Amino acid sequence: MNRNFKLTIEYDGTTYFGWQRQVDPNTVQGTIERAVETLTGQPAILTGSGRTDAGVHAMGQVANVHVDTRLSPTVIRRALNALLPRDIAVLSCEEVPADFHARFDAIGKHYRYRIVNRPVAPAVGRQYAWHIPRTLNMQRMTAALAHLTGVHDFKAFEGAGSPRAHTVRNVRHATFDPAPPDEVHFSIEADGFLRHMVRNIVGTLVDVGLERLSPDDVAHIRASGDRRRAGATAPAQGLFLVAVHYPA
């Protein structure tokens, strides 16, 4: 009985070469596929909602996989978690219609980026945040967010080497969330993201916070479509894929 299962997955991306299967076996997708093959005794192809880069983490990545099995979703979830390393966890498993596609059916994604903003670098959790020793001007950074929300062409924030035919995206929310002392948490939700888009936006916002750019400069950078005018790409370890959204 061939069935389609939707998996919601959490992972620490520190030791992985990103999500997408590669020749090197140490990827999140490849690791989960091997666990599914061990469980079912058949080759498995996992379809993710999108790729994450090396070092990027996920709290709510979504994937689907077609397998010929009579096992219940609950048994599959438990068995996969027993087979997977401790830095990957299947949070939920549910059977979905045969035509469900984790990537093409997604209508939005939510990312969070963590910054530790204090003179001394963190000894604990350093693999989950970007350390910036100089004090960031949060008032300026917050003002810059007005130039990032809405429907815009985000080509200026697209990473090199992955040109898209269409670079217009709808950023529904971009906020700085309450965070523990000495931390800055940036959240952004959109209908889709370009390669490195979140990390390039964060790098630009940090330039605003360090007063290298003004808040209004962000609007000019976005309108220019020129990646060279935006800030440096923020390090991967501070980025988390929080959730992937689908129609009700």
Side-chain angles (χ1 to χ4, degrees), residues 4-5 7 19 21 29-30 32-34 36-37 40 42-48 63-67:
N4 192 14
F5 294 94
L7 309 178
W19 164 267
R21 183 197 320 107
Q29 180 186 19
I32 299 174
E33 286 178 344
R34 290 192 296 275
V36 174
E37 291 174 15
T40 64
Q42 56 191 282
I45 297 178
L46 202 66
T47 300
N64 71 285
V65 60
H66 291 265
V67 291

Side-chain angles (χ1 to χ4, degrees), residues 16-244:
Y16 293 95
F17 292 99
W19 164 267
Q20 189 174 24
R21 183 197 320 107
Q22 301 176 36
V23 175
D24 188 301
N26 194 32
T27 65
V28 179
Q29 180 186 19
T31 301
I32 299 174
E33 286 178 344
R34 290 192 296 275
V36 174
E37 291 174 15
T38 299
L39 175 62
T40 64
Q42 56 191 282
I45 297 178
L46 202 66
T47 300
S49 68
R51 66 184 69 179
T52 54
D53 295 324
V56 174
H57 317 289
M59 301 167 68
Q61 171 70 287
V62 174
N64 71 285
V65 60
H66 291 265
V67 291
D68 186 1
T69 181
R70 294 186 179 276
L71 296 175
S72 71
T74 300
V75 170
I76 291 173
R77 176 180 57 82
R78 290 175 179 170
L80 288 179
N81 284 327
L83 292 166
L84 288 167
R86 296 179 65 181
D87 52 8
I88 301 177
V90 176
L91 302 180
S92 68
C93 174
E94 57 183 298
E95 188 169 0
V96 289
D99 61 353
F100 173 81
H101 193 286
R103 178 185 173 190
F104 296 141
D105 289 349
I107 59 173
K109 291 181 180 178
H110 174 196
Y111 282 93
R112 179 176 298 127
Y113 196 94
R114 294 182 64 239
I115 294 171
V116 173
N117 188 209
R118 69 185 192 192
V120 179
V124 178
R126 59 191 180 278
Q127 68 271 44
Y128 305 119
W130 181 15
H131 172 237
I132 298 177
R134 289 177 52 194
T135 300
L136 293 168
N137 186 323
M138 292 304 302
Q139 184 175 359
R140 290 168 60 94
M141 293 171 70
T142 300
L145 296 183
H147 304 302
L148 295 171
T149 54
V151 179
H152 301 289
D153 188 337
F154 285 91
K155 185 174 179 58
F157 301 102
E158 180 183 35
S162 182
R164 300 285 185 95
H166 304 287
T167 52
V168 173
R169 297 293 184 270
N170 180 12
V171 173
R172 297 162 181 157
H173 302 286
T175 60
F176 288 105
D177 301 328
D182 304 325
E183 289 196 15
V184 175
H185 292 183
F186 171 65
S187 289
I188 185 168
E189 182 180 332
D191 58 355
F193 290 88
L194 305 169
R195 185 187 186 200
H196 295 168
M197 176 174 158
V198 180
R199 292 165 61 193
N200 292 338
I201 285 175
V202 170
T204 305
L205 290 173
V206 165
D207 279 348
V208 173
L210 295 175
E211 302 188 10
R212 296 168 181 162
L213 296 172
S214 74
D216 288 341
D217 283 338
V218 175
H220 301 314
I221 291 167
R222 189 203 69 220
S224 75
D226 186 350
R227 172 68 187 94
R228 295 169 297 180
R229 295 184 59 181
T233 304
Q237 75 267 15
L239 184 59
F240 294 77
L241 172 58
V242 176
V244 184

